[in-house]
Amino acid sequence: QKSVAAVPSPADEGREEFRRGSAVDALTRAILDHLYFTQARPLTLATRNDWYMALAYAVRDRMLDDWLKSLSHLRNRELKIVSYLSAEFLMGPHLGNNLVNLGIMEPAREALAALGQDLDELLRQEEEPGLGNGGLGRLAACYLDSLATLRVPAIGYGIRYEFGIFDQEIRDGWQAEKTDKWLRLGNPWEICRPEITYEVKVGGHTERFTDEKGCVRVRWVPNKVVKGVAYDTPVAGYRSGVTDLLRLWKSEAVESFDFQAFNVGDYYRAVEAKIFSETISKVLYPNDEPEIGKALRLGQQYFFVSCSLQDMVRIHLLRENSLDTFAASFAVQLNDTHPSIAVAELMRLLVDEHQFEWDAAWQITRATLAYTNHTLLPEALEKWPLPLFASILPRHLEIIYEINRRFLDEVRLVHQGDDQLAARLSIIDENGERYVRMAHLASVGSHAINGVAALHTELLKQTVLKDFYEIHPELFRNVTNGVTPRRWMVLSNPGLTRLITERIGDGWVTNPDELRGLEPFVADQTFQSAWQKVKRENKSVLAGVIKARTGIVVDPASLFDVLVKRIHEYKRQHLKVLHIITLYNRIKHDPQADVTPRTFIFGGKAAPGYFMAKLIIKLVNSMGEVVNSDPDVADRLKVVFFPDFNVTNGQMVYPAADLSEQISTAGKEASGTGNMKFSLNGALTIGTLDGANVEIREEVGAENFFLFGLTAAEVSDLKSGGYDPRKWYGEKTELREAIDQIAGGLFSHGDRGLFQPLVEHLLNRDDYLLLADYQAYIDCQDRVSAAFRDRKRWTEMSILNVARMGKFSSDRAIREYCSDIWQASPLPQD
Ligand code: 4GP
């Protein structure tokens, strides 16, 4: 058998050229071959999708040599593999990114042009895999890009959802959800590995037995077994020669058909197991749901964690004879608590399946796992009711009890008599209905716990994980998030990429600290006009898309003021609405009022069951209708809700923004990553001291950032002092007018009931302190308006934002994970 390391064979130069050739004619030949041999289409009948598929396969071929080499490294016992466990990977469209990372965008464009095809059209043909909700899933994707770029061997493990996050349409101003059938036209990027499958048990009970050595052991007798099948997608680094692996699991039935049932005429039962099994990887759960279909979600989490750990065990045993050294082979990162059942599952595999003693198994488990927390919101902290947990994972519950017993014994030893402390730390919540607290399980089972921005990590230590921090401060560290400059600049903003590269070379793509080299050009007239021209072009492109998708005409000369992210009350899209209404009223009161023309662009999905978030979308649209059609406004204000915000749309929106809205209530946004994408693309930020905004402001300079609002400490003081939103409502005239108009039906054709829930919430509770922050926000926006009129100064600020964004590259974040948490190193250069 030919060894993998021998690929490519030097004797086979023709094929080498075919597989790797970046020359235009090699690509042309490859595309034509795939059109014919893979798509089975003659040129005359080829559809756009056929061309897209043929190109995609030709590009994938060019990733294979590096990929196979990387796969062969999995057997190299010297190399630690980073295993990123995540229920979400929001990868975005693959084609463009792969062309960038392989460095073949231009040859591909030329090859296609010669074939009468337009590359941009084919790029638009790709349906993005929406296998994530937002920040957390997109972060996982940026991290895979950086891991491969930094040549670190890595596997991203997750679920191959048949239906990803829903597609959003806007009907009569409301969000309507449509099933995301992303696999409909085929997925050329994945390779199914029918030979890499694992069985996953569900439900049933446990039994004790004595093994041949006289030890009492436990056997789990499930009532169902499903099978996970691996689907692999290559993740190419940016010109790094390394391609890492994204391995997603699809659930299938072990036996797809029950012949016995069929033979006795029970046709439904004959396919029942198949239906149950396939349901597990059927659909991605939207987050922020008030009530979720819990049983299935826990099933999903366990399903992918179990397949992934079994896969790691298999890979490790290809390297070594024993699992003693498992932690030297794999550094496993738990992306939030969704995969935290890994703590109990790795223990089960070691103790039940591989006959380890408890202590040795525990030592390996903790040395292997590390946990990242992404949210402090209490409602987002996962906990499972005990009876439900027991019915799905009876053996894991026993293991968790044992982990908890030992952990709390240790706590009691050090903090004798402090029963309160033990109760607070316990993995089992015993206040009323009993729950398994997944963040506690993850914390107890990990050797490192991190937050995703400096402020977030501090708050984590002071609030959600305070007790853990007090007993084990050494476990805590911060790794501020980052984003990949490849997708979020080189691919999305080719104009700015070109301009920057002309001035300082292209080293910044992998070393964005080099962007500092732009600072000497800040005041340079020619550079400034070139900079403005790029922004203007990006805005015109977006304006065209907005027109096509919403019918709204916007002026690229106006200030593009953008708020795109998931819709959530803490992110305060409705604070932005209050600002727009305030400007509208100023014009209504004085039609000559000097208002800087602005285009307000909103985008984001609301969880289907989150009523308030959906009502906010409706409010944006209803308010927009009134403002956009009022002749007094005379086009000075335009409001747009850009439907279906996703990675593809983000790539158009970030480069076209002048102003980035990061206006969450301080202390609520763990980090934010959209804030980084905007700044990197030359938008200025208006924001609170929340999440990574704090660090962005530190980097770009306070004078290049529009800061407003209460700090996290002030928020918590205000709340504990008994916050009364009515006080603010009573005092602030413009605020009162805006709220009264919403309540009075100005934006709902006289219907006073429609927005009542929102208004009542604001006036009576206002959990996210919109009213308290309103005036500071409005005043700060007035400063933004004035600043935008000074084109020269604004452009300088924009350049400085880009020049100082180096810290927020995901490469920096991944280097920190590698050195502080994973102890993982890059592959040596070939
Ligand atoms: C998000 C956080 O809300 C956001 O602040 C952060 O930047 C991002 O994770 C990545 O760390 N959380 C989620 C989630 O997306 O589902 O909890």
Side-chain angles (χ1 to χ4, degrees):
Q1 198 194 338
K2 200 164 145 185
S3 97
V4 179
V7 175
S9 141
D12 192 357
E13 281 184 4
R15 280 193 59 217
E16 161 79 356
E17 153 80 340
F18 174 80
R19 280 197 309 268
R20 295 179 65 92
S22 58
V24 176
D25 46 348
L27 265 169
T28 312
R29 202 173 69 214
I31 294 167
L32 287 174
D33 277 353
H34 278 298
L35 199 59
Y36 191 82
F37 293 111
T38 313
Q39 288 301 100
R41 283 286 193 191
L43 271 176
T44 46
L45 293 182
T47 63
R48 185 175 300 163
N49 193 57
D50 290 323
W51 283 105
Y52 160 74
M53 295 287 277
L55 172 61
Y57 284 120
V59 172
R60 195 184 79 181
D61 289 342
R62 279 151 183 76
M63 301 163 81
L64 278 184
D65 284 344
D66 285 341
W67 197 27
L68 294 183
K69 239 186 288 158
S70 301
L71 293 178
S72 75
H73 291 314
L74 298 183
R75 291 173 182 243
N76 178 348
R77 55 160 70 169
E78 303 297 315
L79 292 168
K80 193 169 200 178
I81 302 163
V82 172
S83 167
Y84 202 82
L85 254 57
S86 180
E88 303 186 11
F89 285 94
L90 193 48
M91 298 297 282
H94 292 288
L95 177 58
N97 203 64
N98 287 333
L99 291 170
V100 164
N101 283 12
L102 298 176
I104 56 172
M105 183 71 87
E106 287 320 308
R109 190 178 295 283
E110 252 185 73
L112 287 164
L115 294 167
Q117 295 299 309
D118 175 16
L119 174 60
D120 294 321
E121 267 184 22
L122 300 191
L123 287 168
R124 281 194 290 274
Q125 176 66 26
E126 180 170 351
E127 180 131 14
E128 72 171 74
L131 309 188
N133 275 286
L136 170 153
R138 182 53 229 175
L139 186 77
C142 282
Y143 282 178
L144 290 186
D145 180 275
S146 285
L147 281 160
T149 298
L150 294 172
R151 302 178 53 84
V152 179
I155 307 178
Y157 280 114
I159 301 176
R160 181 180 177 276
Y161 301 104
E162 184 179 341
F163 305 120
I165 187 73
F166 62 87
D167 294 334
Q168 181 193 55
E169 282 183 5
I170 300 299
R171 293 193 202 135
D172 186 29
W174 292 97
Q175 164 175 295
E177 298 94 20
K178 276 185 45 192
T179 311
D180 162 52
K181 300 190 182 137
W182 70 288
L183 290 166
R184 200 169 30 121
L185 295 175
N187 174 8
W189 302 102
E190 69 184 5
I191 292 174
C192 176
R193 304 280 192 200
E195 286 174 294
I196 302 183
T197 71
Y198 300 97
E199 292 195 349
V200 177
K201 301 178 192 174
V202 186
H205 64 278
T206 60
E207 293 172 356
R208 257 127 267 268
F209 67 99
T210 308
D211 70 9
E212 60 284 3
K213 292 195 196 126
C215 299
V216 178
R217 303 238 163 239
V218 181
R219 180 186 302 127
W220 175 12
V221 186
N223 58 19
K224 287 198 180 76
V225 178
V226 301
K227 185 170 84 174
V229 182
Y231 281 73
D232 289 354
T233 302
V235 180
Y238 178 77
R239 305 181 192 185
S240 67
V242 166
T243 293
D244 279 330
L245 167 62
L246 172 63
R247 177 161 285 173
L248 302 179
W249 303 103
K250 175 179 190 252
S251 62
E252 287 186 1
V254 177
E255 292 287 348
S256 60
F257 198 76
D258 181 342
F259 272 103
Q260 232 167 357
F262 182 77
N263 289 339
V264 297
D266 187 348
Y267 303 123
Y268 178 74
R269 196 159 63 81
V271 292
E272 200 183 359
K274 179 171 159 67
I275 292 168
F276 168 79
S277 308
E278 290 176 358
T279 305
I280 290 184
S281 61
K282 190 62 93 186
V283 58
L284 167 74
Y285 276 94
N287 56 10
D288 310 327
E289 282 283 340
E291 254 321 302
I292 52 168
K294 290 196 160 124
L296 186 54
R297 182 154 182 161
L298 180 59
Q300 286 187 333
Q301 296 181 349
Y302 177 60
F303 164 74
F304 96 88
V305 164
S306 179
C307 289
S308 308
L309 283 171
Q310 292 185 63
D311 197 42
M312 288 178 239
V313 165
R314 175 186 63 88
I315 293 169
H316 177 82
L317 292 176
L318 293 172
R319 304 169 149 207
E320 311 266 3
N321 299 325
S322 125
L323 287 170
D324 290 340
T325 51
F326 185 72
S329 284
F330 285 97
V332 176
Q333 193 66 27
L334 308 175
N335 198 25
D336 216 282
T337 53
H338 317 144
S340 57
I341 190 64
V343 176
E345 174 66 357
L346 185 50
M347 285 301 286
R348 188 190 68 82
L349 290 170
L350 292 169
V351 172
D352 292 358
E353 311 265 323
H354 293 271
Q355 288 77 47
F356 270 72
E357 291 305 320
W358 185 276
D359 288 331
W362 185 239
Q363 195 267 328
I364 295 170
T365 298
R366 287 200 65 236
T368 306
L369 303 178
Y371 158 53
T372 305
N373 172 287
H374 294 267
T375 181
L376 302 171
L377 296 183
E379 63 270 27
L381 292 173
E382 285 191 301
K383 50 182 198 172
W384 301 106
L386 228 55
L388 173 104
F389 198 97
S391 70
I392 298 171
L393 300 171
R395 176 58 183 143
H396 295 77
L397 189 57
E398 292 173 357
I399 291 173
I400 289 171
Y401 280 147
E402 182 61 15
I403 292 172
N404 201 36
R405 187 185 67 76
R406 289 167 180 249
F407 169 62
L408 295 182
D409 277 352
E410 274 172 36
V411 172
R412 288 195 196 94
L413 217 55
V414 184
H415 303 269
Q416 287 181 22
D418 193 346
D419 290 344
Q420 292 290 320
L421 177 68
R424 289 200 306 272
L425 281 167
S426 173
I427 301 173
I428 310 295
D429 179 350
E430 316 240 16
N431 307 312
E433 198 190 340
R434 297 167 79 212
Y435 292 97
V436 184
R437 296 162 163 160
M438 300 310 267
H440 290 215
L441 178 63
S443 300
V444 176
S446 295
H447 68 276
I449 301 170
N450 76 286
V452 290
L455 173 66
H456 169 64
T457 300
E458 282 315 303
L459 294 173
L460 197 59
K461 295 195 272 192
Q462 289 164 24
T463 60
V464 174
L465 296 180
K466 179 169 189 284
D467 296 312
F468 284 94
Y469 177 64
E470 276 166 12
I471 59 169
H472 284 302
E474 76 286 358
L475 298 182
F476 285 75
R477 55 215 75 187
N478 174 247
V479 185
T480 298
N481 286 165
V483 300
T484 167
R486 272 75 64 181
R487 182 178 291 274
W488 296 115
M489 177 66 121
V490 181
L491 176 62
S492 334
N493 201 342
L496 202 57
T497 299
R498 219 171 295 123
L499 178 61
I500 293 174
T501 302
E502 274 164 21
R503 289 290 165 137
I504 62 167
D506 66 359
W508 61 273
V509 177
T510 45
N511 181 16
D513 287 333
E514 289 185 20
L515 289 169
R516 291 261 175 187
L518 292 173
E519 291 201 26
F521 305 110
V522 155
D524 176 330
Q525 274 279 306
T526 338
F527 189 62
Q528 279 207 2
S529 358
W531 191 271
Q532 288 163 358
K533 185 160 170 276
V534 169
K535 183 61 86 182
R536 181 60 180 262
E537 282 164 4
N538 293 340
K539 288 165 77 173
S540 298
V541 171
L542 183 62
V545 178
I546 288 174
K547 167 99 195 315
R549 304 224 179 137
T550 67
I552 302 172
V553 178
V554 304
D555 178 5
S558 64
L559 189 168
F560 276 22
D561 177 344
V562 188
L563 177 46
V564 287
K565 49 181 80 241
R566 291 284 296 214
I567 312 292
H568 200 293
E569 287 162 279
Y570 87 78
K571 296 179 189 274
R572 302 201 292 193
Q573 282 90 355
H574 43 339
L575 179 57
K576 177 86 235 144
V577 171
L578 292 175
H579 171 231
I580 301 171
I581 298 177
T582 303
L583 294 180
Y584 175 67
N585 286 332
R586 287 182 184 171
I587 295 177
K588 292 302 281 184
H589 297 318
D590 171 11
Q592 309 308 318
D594 192 14
V595 170
T596 300
R598 294 206 198 200
T599 300
F600 302 97
I601 300 167
F602 291 82
K605 296 178 186 178
Y610 185 178
F611 170 70
M612 220 46 131
K614 294 176 105 171
L615 195 58
I616 291 175
I617 294 182
K618 174 66 177 165
L619 176 62
V620 169
N621 284 306
S622 303
M623 178 269 303
E625 242 174 70
V626 171
V627 172
N628 293 348
S629 61
D630 191 325
D632 288 348
V633 172
D635 289 346
R636 280 178 289 175
L637 307 178
K638 275 285 162 75
V639 183
V640 174
F641 190 93
F642 192 112
D644 204 33
F645 187 69
N646 56 13
V647 176
T648 310
N649 291 329
Q651 288 173 201
M652 283 183 285
V653 170
Y654 296 116
D658 293 307
L659 186 66
S660 153
E661 298 270 354
Q662 307 300 334
I663 60 178
S664 52
T665 320
K668 298 291 176 198
E669 188 70 87
S671 163
T673 44
N675 46 5
M676 301 168 186
K677 294 163 200 167
F678 276 114
S679 251
L680 181 64
N681 282 278
L684 305 189
T685 305
I686 181 165
T688 48
L689 278 183
D690 200 14
N693 294 353
V694 178
E695 291 156 81
I696 292 177
R697 180 167 171 269
E698 269 165 25
E699 290 293 303
V700 305
E703 66 287 6
N704 300 308
F705 186 105
F706 296 96
L707 177 70
F708 77 95
L710 300 165
T711 62
E714 287 164 349
V715 165
S716 106
D717 288 350
L718 187 56
K719 286 204 152 180
S720 53
Y723 171 60
D724 176 17
R726 293 220 179 235
K727 175 168 124 19
W728 272 265
Y729 171 78
E731 284 171 5
K732 308 284 172 200
T733 342
E734 290 191 313
L735 169 66
R736 192 167 55 247
E737 185 180 12
I739 292 184
D740 289 349
Q741 287 167 332
I742 299 173
L746 180 63
F747 307 110
S748 42
H749 306 285
D751 180 351
R752 292 162 175 262
L754 182 59
F755 298 119
Q756 202 55 32
L758 254 173
V759 171
E760 262 173 21
H761 193 273
L762 287 180
L763 291 180
N764 299 325
R765 300 177 48 116
D766 192 18
D767 290 334
Y768 300 104
L769 305 188
L770 277 77
L771 273 54
D773 265 344
Y774 168 84
Q775 197 61 52
Y777 181 52
I778 299 294
D779 295 346
C780 190
Q781 286 286 9
D782 289 342
R783 295 199 296 278
V784 170
S785 293
F788 190 68
R789 291 174 171 221
D790 181 350
R791 301 296 296 145
K792 190 165 156 39
R793 174 73 191 114
W794 185 277
T795 308
E796 282 176 15
M797 288 160 80
S798 166
I799 297 171
L800 288 175
N801 263 265
V802 176
R804 298 174 179 175
M805 280 305 288
K807 170 172 173 185
F808 303 99
S809 162
S810 44
D811 297 350
R812 185 270 313 147
I814 285 299
R815 282 198 191 92
E816 290 178 9
Y817 278 102
C818 281
S819 66
D820 301 350
I821 298 179
W822 300 332
Q823 272 76 53
S825 341
L827 290 162
Q829 293 288 342
D830 297 325

